[in-house]
Amino acid sequence: MAPHISRATASAVVLLAFLIIASAAAPTPQSDVDLLEFPLNLEYLEAEFFLFGSLGHGLDVVAPHLAQGGPSPIGARLAHLDAFVRDVILQFGLQEVGHLRAIKSTVKGFPRPLLNLSSASFAEAVNSAFGQPLHPPFDPYANDINYLLASYLIPYVGLTGYVGANPHLQNSTSRELVAGLLGVESGQDAVIRALLYESRTLPVQPYGVSVGEFTNRISKLRNKLGNAGLKDEGLVVPKVQGAEGKVIGNILAGDKNSLAYGRTPEEILRIVYASGDERVPGGFFPKGASGRIATSYLQSST
């Protein structure tokens, strides 16, 4: 005999099913759309840098439909990498293709913005980190260590953006997407930091400055540009700043509870523009980033 189901239980089941269906069918709030579209800027940047570095070409060859006719990057080129590092970077590049596709499957997105991935662009960032020009100028494409240091500049910024965006997302679909993106971005950053940590005491040639000090300088620059306190840490830190105040090694960046730092879109723009001002484009985005959040600041500056 079939089990008896009360009218109250049946009503509750129907109501729950209705709420689930209604939630799934609900449109993505505009605030979520803005927060999901904004990181496309960083995903384009990472995809092009990693693909060019490992293959010598980018989205225009690998996935032209995702670029949506946006301008090709300035100065990106094949890096001089050993087989292991090239393999890792190629995997990163292809992962970024998936990230672009995943975001654009959820929100409309926008064409690839103009990106400056030239050696000169990275050299300017490193000069700013050291407070003086390096001689010869830093070349991110010259060798494994230089390329990994240049890579240190990029994924972590996107990672902090996802951490910062997550509490402000209203839709479960949006939160699920960001959680998935954050997981892989965190993994990429961890791999880059681990590879550099292994060489942290070695000098970056021909400057005679250790790999660890390079990362510390870059992190301090990002903190300065972001203008929102300590949200970035190099590979070697004062013991009080290390995990539980017990170590100077800092293979993963985190706060006093070893939780990831979060950044706002405004902070991220200040960093990737290398201007310290979300209204003043430059750096990796000579004409500014795209999406409603970024363009609202460009419009307010005119």
Side-chain angles (χ1 to χ4, degrees):
M1 186 175 71
H4 175 71
I5 300 176
S6 69
R7 181 176 298 179
T9 300
S11 298
V13 170
V14 171
L15 177 60
L16 178 61
F18 173 79
L19 290 174
I20 292 173
I21 294 172
S23 175
T28 304
Q30 184 60 52
S31 60
D32 279 19
V33 172
D34 293 344
L35 288 171
L36 292 177
E37 285 192 330
F38 178 77
L40 280 173
N41 291 292
L42 279 299
E43 299 290 357
Y44 276 126
L45 180 67
E46 294 171 36
E48 296 292 7
F49 184 59
F50 292 144
L51 290 174
F52 266 98
S54 59
L55 297 174
H57 54 251
L59 288 174
D60 289 335
V61 174
V62 176
H65 61 289
L66 291 176
Q68 293 182 239
S72 297
I74 299 169
R77 59 185 174 88
L78 182 68
H80 296 283
L81 306 174
D82 69 22
F84 175 77
V85 175
R86 186 179 306 282
D87 180 31
V88 170
I89 298 303
L90 173 58
Q91 292 180 50
F92 286 178
L94 295 175
Q95 289 164 2
E96 299 306 333
V97 172
H99 289 182
L100 288 167
R101 184 175 59 249
I103 295 173
K104 292 187 177 197
S105 297
T106 305
V107 294
K108 182 179 179 181
F110 46 77
R112 173 183 56 200
L114 181 63
L115 303 169
N116 186 352
L117 294 173
S118 66
S119 296
S121 179
F122 284 93
E124 288 176 11
V126 171
N127 288 346
S128 295
F130 279 85
Q132 62 183 3
L134 297 189
H135 300 288
F138 179 81
D139 180 0
Y141 301 104
N143 53 57
D144 292 340
I145 288 295
N146 282 24
Y147 192 84
L148 289 170
L149 285 169
S151 299
Y152 180 88
L153 277 164
I154 299 175
Y156 181 72
V157 178
L159 181 165
T160 57
Y162 286 131
V163 174
N166 193 53
H168 303 288
L169 295 170
Q170 303 177 44
N171 187 297
S172 60
T173 301
S174 303
R175 291 193 294 271
E176 182 179 1
L177 173 60
V178 165
L181 293 165
L182 176 58
V184 174
E185 293 290 332
S186 299
Q188 291 178 355
D189 181 64
V191 170
I192 291 167
R193 292 180 72 101
L195 292 173
L196 289 171
Y197 188 77
E198 187 176 27
S199 303
R200 65 192 180 283
T201 61
L202 299 179
V204 179
Q205 298 297 343
Y207 311 112
V209 178
S210 72
V211 168
E213 181 60 19
F214 251 80
T215 65
N216 291 343
R217 297 272 187 151
I218 291 169
S219 287
K220 288 177 181 177
L221 174 65
R222 289 191 296 213
N223 282 327
K224 177 182 176 182
L225 292 173
N227 194 30
L230 177 65
K231 297 191 176 182
D232 219 302
E233 300 170 341
L235 294 175
V236 181
V237 296
K239 183 179 287 189
V240 68
Q241 199 174 315
E244 296 301 296
K246 297 183 183 298
V247 290
I248 63 172
N250 198 43
I251 199 165
L252 296 178
D255 66 12
K256 65 180 181 180
N257 294 315
S258 292
L259 300 179
Y261 295 105
R263 283 189 170 110
T264 66
E266 294 77 13
E267 293 168 45
I268 291 172
L269 291 173
R270 294 169 200 156
I271 294 168
V272 298
Y273 287 174
S275 65
D277 188 336
E278 59 269 36
R279 297 172 179 80
V280 181
F284 297 122
F285 293 86
K287 292 188 177 179
S290 297
R292 275 171 42 111
I293 293 175
T295 56
S296 69
Y297 289 105
L298 295 177
Q299 292 166 358
S300 67
S301 67
T302 58

